[in-house]
Amino acid sequence: MRKIQVITLFPEMFDGVLNSAMMWKAQNQQAVEFRMVNLRDFGLGPRKRVDDTPYGGGDGMLLMAEPLFAAVNDAKRYCPDAKVVLMTPRGLRWKQSVAQSWADSNYDYIFVCGRYEGVDERILTLVDIQVSVGDYVLTGGELPAMTIIDSIVRLIPGVLGGENSAAIESFSDGETLEYPQYTRPEVFTGLEVPKVLLSGNHAEIAKWRAEHSIKAE
Ligand code: SAM
């Protein structure tokens, strides 16, 4: 069973996403186990402080090294060989081929979610991979971590059900997007399903679908 841990100040954000639909099914099938590590539990002093102002000045606060190190070490005790992944706009841009290779690997993962202006740089000494979900800035690493976890877990063999469904999805060959799809009824408010899809001619259907797959940039 794959183990995925998340270090976050907001573990409750993950409840809905990881306990619904495919992610819930994956846990039920024992394909994956999720564990939340609340960074606040490793905060300093009676107020469990986790952030401080940056040296050299500047706006905002940074997550401090000490609670981050303690949280990563706690997650490592639970799963010593897990890869530590930092969510950061500076990281490797996430894409389907990377999700597929992480799903195919046997690695366990520890996702570290930054907040505020980010993290004390010294945490990088414990980090294996830095990952970004795109060239924009979000308030915290939780949404990126959820996105990445979902994209990996649904590709773990057995989780999706129809084993072929991932193989024909958008980006699965690295460049094309999925063709348009339709279901019942054949005509809806005057809008018709393309005739070829009703023809039963599999070769023609495959040709139509190939022609209508849009190339990704
Ligand atoms: N000051 C940082 C900068 O300019 O790059 C942005 C910090 S952001 C407000 C807070 C946290 O959200 C980051 O430490 C990171 O964990 C997460 N985050 C924001 N955008 C992200 C992205 N595109 N990909 C991955 N993580 C992101």
Side-chain angles (χ1 to χ4, degrees), residues 86-90 112-119 131-142 144:
L86 177 68
M87 302 292 100
T88 164
R90 292 201 313 216
V112 181
C113 302
R115 275 275 156 180
Y116 316 126
E117 284 309 311
V119 296
V131 172
S132 165
V133 288
D135 291 348
Y136 45 86
V137 177
L138 292 162
T139 313
E142 286 77 10

Side-chain angles (χ1 to χ4, degrees), residues 180-200:
Q181 303 215 71
Y182 302 83
T183 185
R184 290 189 176 81
E186 283 181 29
V187 182
F188 174 69
T189 62
L191 300 168
E192 293 183 16
V193 173
K195 290 270 180 295
V196 62
L197 298 179
L198 309 172
S199 68

Side-chain angles (χ1 to χ4, degrees), residues 78-217:
Y78 185 72
C79 201
D81 296 328
K83 297 281 179 202
V84 179
V85 187
L86 177 68
M87 302 292 100
T88 164
R90 292 201 313 216
L92 164 86
R93 180 87 67 86
W94 194 248
K95 55 183 184 176
Q96 186 71 9
S97 56
V98 185
Q100 185 69 61
S101 69
W102 288 28
D104 292 341
S105 80
N106 282 324
Y107 288 123
D108 298 314
Y109 292 101
I110 299 165
F111 291 93
V112 181
C113 302
R115 275 275 156 180
Y116 316 126
E117 284 309 311
V119 296
D120 186 306
E121 190 78 4
R122 290 168 287 190
I123 192 62
L124 292 187
T125 56
L126 297 185
V127 167
D128 296 296
I129 313 151
Q130 302 180 58
V131 172
S132 165
V133 288
D135 291 348
Y136 45 86
V137 177
L138 292 162
T139 313
E142 286 77 10
L143 290 172
M146 286 183 226
T147 302
I148 287 167
I149 291 169
D150 184 291
S151 70
I152 297 167
V153 170
R154 65 195 295 283
L155 295 176
I156 294 175
V159 172
L160 261 189
E163 285 309 310
N164 236 358
S165 28
I168 57 170
E169 275 181 333
S170 299
F171 308 114
S172 51
D173 67 355
E175 54 175 27
T176 47
L177 297 176
E178 196 174 57
Y179 44 77
Q181 303 215 71
Y182 302 83
T183 185
R184 290 189 176 81
E186 283 181 29
V187 182
F188 174 69
T189 62
L191 300 168
E192 293 183 16
V193 173
K195 290 270 180 295
V196 62
L197 298 179
L198 309 172
S199 68
N201 183 331
H202 295 301
E204 282 301 310
I205 291 171
K207 184 166 166 266
W208 183 90
R209 285 178 168 171
E211 284 166 5
H212 287 79
S213 291
I214 303 164
K215 266 197 176 317
E217 281 174 31

